[in-house]
Amino acid sequence: MNLSAVKKYCASLPHATADIKWGADHVFSIGGKMFAVAFENDLRGVVVAFKVDDERFLEYTDRPGFVPAPYLARAKWVQVRDIEKINAAELKVLIARSYQLVAKKLSKKLQCELGIMG
């Protein structure tokens, strides 16, 4: 998956917003809370970070190409430093799961406003 495809997929999720932070990072949020970060690195190519289920954090960080996300590891975020180590379908599933995890933590009022209450 290239950066354009990652950005397009993240932006396609309901109520997702996008902006640029820290100079060049494409940040995707729901209800003002980040669910994915993507950028292009000269050395590594496309790098993507997202939240994972707490109980699966160590599983993902043990995989080749995955590391704890800098500054966000304590919140159980991982960073895919080698996009070639994951196929597009799995990456989409993981980003969608991050979106769900973050949306679930929004206030009940905001979830109702966004129409995402389950």
Side-chain angles (χ1 to χ4, degrees):
M1 235 175 148
N2 61 28
L3 182 59
S4 179
V6 171
K7 289 171 23 182
K8 184 177 179 181
Y9 177 71
C10 289
S12 75
L13 296 170
H15 309 290
T17 59
D19 63 347
I20 305 285
K21 292 188 191 289
W22 312 296
D25 294 2
H26 299 270
V27 176
F28 299 90
S29 304
I30 171 112
K33 302 291 184 183
M34 295 188 319
F35 69 86
V37 177
F39 61 93
E40 204 145 17
N41 181 302
D42 291 339
L43 300 174
R44 295 188 183 100
V46 178
V47 176
V48 181
F50 45 84
K51 183 168 181 53
V52 295
D53 292 282
D54 290 359
E55 60 275 6
R56 298 196 69 194
F57 178 75
L58 291 176
E59 172 190 339
Y60 285 114
T61 57
D62 280 345
R63 281 180 62 175
F66 285 66
V67 296
Y71 310 107
L72 293 168
R74 72 183 185 293
K76 305 302 188 240
W77 277 59
V78 297
Q79 185 180 76
V80 181
R81 288 199 171 165
D82 184 354
I83 203 82
E84 300 300 319
K85 299 285 184 188
I86 185 170
N87 67 50
E90 184 183 10
L91 182 57
K92 287 179 179 181
V93 167
L94 291 171
I95 290 170
R97 181 63 182 152
S98 177
Y99 171 91
Q100 293 168 347
L101 291 168
V102 172
K104 197 165 58 170
K105 294 282 187 172
L106 297 174
S107 71
K108 298 299 178 201
K109 179 181 177 187
L110 187 51
Q111 288 180 29
C112 284
E113 288 173 12
L114 295 174
I116 58 173
M117 216 142 160

